[in-house]
Amino acid sequence: MASQKYDVVLLDIEGTTTPILFVHDVLFPYVTNNVKQFIESRWDDPSVQAHVQALAKQAAADIAAGTDGCVAINLDDNTEAVQRQVLENIEWQMRADRKVGALKALQGYMWRFGYERGELQGVMFTDAVDAVRMWSRAGRRVFIYSSGSVEAQKLIFGFSDHGNLLEYVEGHYDTRVGAKVDASSYTAIVRDIGVCPDRVLFVSDSIRELEAADKAGLQTILSVRPGNAPVGEHTFSTSSDFTQIPL
């Protein structure tokens, strides 16, 4: 458990506040099952075109880096060809479970439509919801750091099966601040929040993320949830009920 007092709680989402199965069995299939109709029917929408531009820019960077399997997007081709390239690129990225900003942003944009139409609802572990409320009442500041875009984070918490929980979350961070396995990312987050690293408690289901946070001086707890990937030997404190984490 937390080894000392903390002022800030930094939470992962997938496998921590939210079941991994929700992400992989609900959110991702929603995109794969609807992306063709979504892209083609909204092709002239400036927001969709902004996402297409971002995907094309990422594709160019991937090709330049020699990334295996990357699908090029040539924006000078005719509309039908570009749409096909965009869809093939998205399919390739999702199959590879890539954590790049352009893909995450598009996914978040599509999910917003699903949430607002009632086709999607964020799933939260009950103890995580109770703990977030507990921390808030106790004066602890709660932040989210997830590989999913800030937009996607807000949708899960804003349209959750426990109601709108955004009032309990002070801020959100995604991979634009840096990779979750890099200690420098946690240093940047702590600096942005304006607290000392040892006053921040980071909770995640990933050993590599916890190692990075620990290297940056944060307190850490490993989230143990049904469906999470098995972890090997480690020295981190664990929790499967966040309400039992001492204040």
Side-chain angles (χ1 to χ4, degrees):
M1 290 299 168
S3 60
Q4 61 188 68
K5 295 293 185 179
Y6 53 91
D7 303 312
V8 171
V9 182
L10 183 64
L11 295 170
D12 172 48
I13 291 182
E14 183 180 341
T16 300
T17 65
T18 297
I20 283 181
L21 288 180
F22 172 69
V23 178
H24 289 275
D25 291 357
V26 178
L27 290 185
F28 287 169
Y30 182 85
V31 173
T32 55
N33 293 337
N34 293 284
V35 66
K36 185 177 188 295
Q37 189 274 338
F38 189 90
I39 292 290
E40 292 178 350
S41 65
R42 295 173 173 80
W43 185 252
D44 295 325
D45 186 317
S47 295
V48 170
Q49 282 301 307
H51 287 292
V52 169
Q53 294 281 345
L55 288 167
K57 182 178 180 181
Q58 179 64 55
D62 289 334
I63 290 172
T67 305
D68 288 340
C70 177
V71 178
I73 299 175
N74 184 358
L75 297 178
D76 293 328
D77 284 350
N78 62 58
T79 297
E80 183 178 349
V82 177
Q83 288 178 349
R84 183 179 64 254
Q85 293 162 19
V86 168
L87 291 171
E88 289 176 354
N89 182 277
I90 293 170
E91 180 183 2
W92 163 69
Q93 293 203 64
M94 292 194 65
R95 192 167 55 247
D97 194 22
R98 301 189 80 210
K99 309 292 186 183
V100 297
L103 175 65
K104 293 297 181 182
L106 175 64
Q107 290 171 331
Y109 184 69
M110 287 188 60
W111 289 329
R112 172 165 288 281
F113 280 85
Y115 283 108
E116 290 178 343
R117 291 175 175 178
E119 298 169 349
L120 293 172
Q121 184 178 51
V123 177
M124 306 283 292
F125 290 112
T126 298
D127 68 277
V129 174
D130 292 341
V132 166
R133 290 171 172 155
M134 174 188 74
W135 285 320
S136 180
R137 287 194 301 268
R140 305 299 189 270
R141 303 165 67 190
V142 177
F143 293 81
I144 305 299
Y145 181 29
S146 171
S147 59
S149 67
V150 167
E151 168 82 352
Q153 298 172 29
K154 290 181 177 179
L155 291 170
I156 290 176
F157 276 75
F159 292 88
S160 89
D161 53 358
H162 289 73
N164 187 342
L165 303 172
L166 288 175
E167 65 178 290
Y168 303 108
V169 181
E170 187 171 330
H172 300 258
Y173 297 93
D174 57 25
T175 52
R176 287 176 296 182
V177 77
K180 296 187 72 181
V181 295
D182 292 343
S184 59
S185 302
Y186 299 89
T187 299
I189 289 173
V190 168
R191 184 184 303 117
D192 187 62
I193 294 174
V195 293
C196 294
D198 64 358
R199 302 297 294 182
V200 179
L201 173 63
F202 177 55
V203 186
S204 171
D205 67 314
S206 167
I207 293 294
R208 292 185 65 198
E209 292 174 8
L210 294 175
E211 289 173 342
D214 180 69
K215 185 177 179 180
L218 282 67
Q219 299 185 59
T220 55
I221 289 180
L222 176 67
S223 171
V224 179
R225 299 295 196 183
N228 284 7
V231 295
E233 292 186 10
H234 63 86
T235 59
F236 294 104
S237 298
T238 64
S239 177
S240 57
D241 181 350
F242 296 170
T243 62
Q244 299 304 305
I245 297 175
L247 290 172

